[in-house]
């Protein structure tokens, strides 16, 4: 334990003798901690946390394919969705959504936001109370 205190005192003396190096070292360490924290926050929110739905492993998304038009993944039309909803026995419940981008304006600079229009069964199907 005594050698640890000697090492700490020696390190403090060396850092106090060269204040320019000390400031650069502190800025570098601070930036490293800040960047690491922000990256972990994004990874935690996107990859590590579960979706806010009751059974995420039971949620599926259905797309249409039009290979003759070279469209491997297109949206299902409203009429197709209604057919799936009425005739399918494979799904416990169904819901539809369509995503769009909007310009949000006000007193500040306008911002581009993404929104979705959903059917009434969307949130109950996911087990989420809006």
């Amino acid at each position: 334990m005594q050698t640890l205190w000697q090492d700490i005192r020696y390190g403090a003396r060396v850092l106090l003798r060269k204040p320019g190096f000390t400031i650069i070292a502190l800025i570098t360490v601070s930036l490293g901690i800040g960047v690491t924290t922000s990256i972990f926050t994004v990874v935690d929110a996107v990859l590590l946390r579960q979706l806010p739905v009751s059974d995420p492993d039971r949620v599926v998304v259905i797309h249409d394919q039009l290979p003759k038009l070279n469209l491997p993944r297109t949206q299902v039309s409203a009429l197709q969705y209604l057919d799936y909803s009425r005739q399918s026995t494979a799904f416990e419940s169904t819901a539809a959504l369509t995503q769009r981008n909007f310009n949000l304006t006000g007193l500040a600079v306008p911002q581009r936001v993404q929104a979705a229009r959903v059917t009434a069964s969307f949130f109950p199907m996911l087990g989420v109370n809006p």
Side-chain angles (χ1 to χ4, degrees):
M1 188 70 170
Q2 185 177 357
T3 58
L4 175 66
W5 286 114
Q6 288 175 347
D7 289 342
I8 290 173
R9 282 185 291 198
Y10 176 72
R13 282 196 310 267
V14 169
L15 290 175
L16 288 175
R17 271 190 244 147
K18 298 185 178 186
F21 173 78
T22 303
I23 291 171
I24 291 173
L26 287 175
I27 290 172
T28 303
V29 170
S30 300
L31 286 174
I33 290 171
V35 168
T36 303
T37 303
S38 62
I39 289 173
F40 177 75
T41 302
V42 170
V43 168
D44 181 49
V46 174
L47 299 176
L48 300 179
R49 290 198 182 155
Q50 288 185 348
L51 293 174
V53 297
S54 57
D55 290 324
D57 55 331
R58 297 184 55 174
V59 176
V60 296
V61 177
I62 297 176
H63 293 279
D64 203 356
Q65 294 182 1
L66 302 171
K68 290 182 181 178
L69 298 175
N70 199 21
L71 296 171
R73 189 174 180 182
T74 63
Q75 291 182 354
V76 175
S77 72
L79 292 175
Q80 287 174 310
Y81 161 71
L82 290 174
D83 283 343
Y84 288 140
S85 295
R86 290 182 189 135
Q87 298 175 10
S88 176
T89 58
F91 301 116
E92 187 176 312
S93 63
T94 60
L97 71 93
T98 181
Q99 293 180 325
R100 290 191 56 197
N101 293 321
F102 295 96
N103 292 326
L104 182 63
T105 61
L107 299 177
V109 178
Q111 292 189 7
R112 193 81 168 154
V113 295
Q114 189 176 44
R117 187 183 306 178
V118 298
T119 57
S121 60
F122 184 78
F123 291 109
M125 181 193 71
L126 294 178
V128 177
N129 294 324

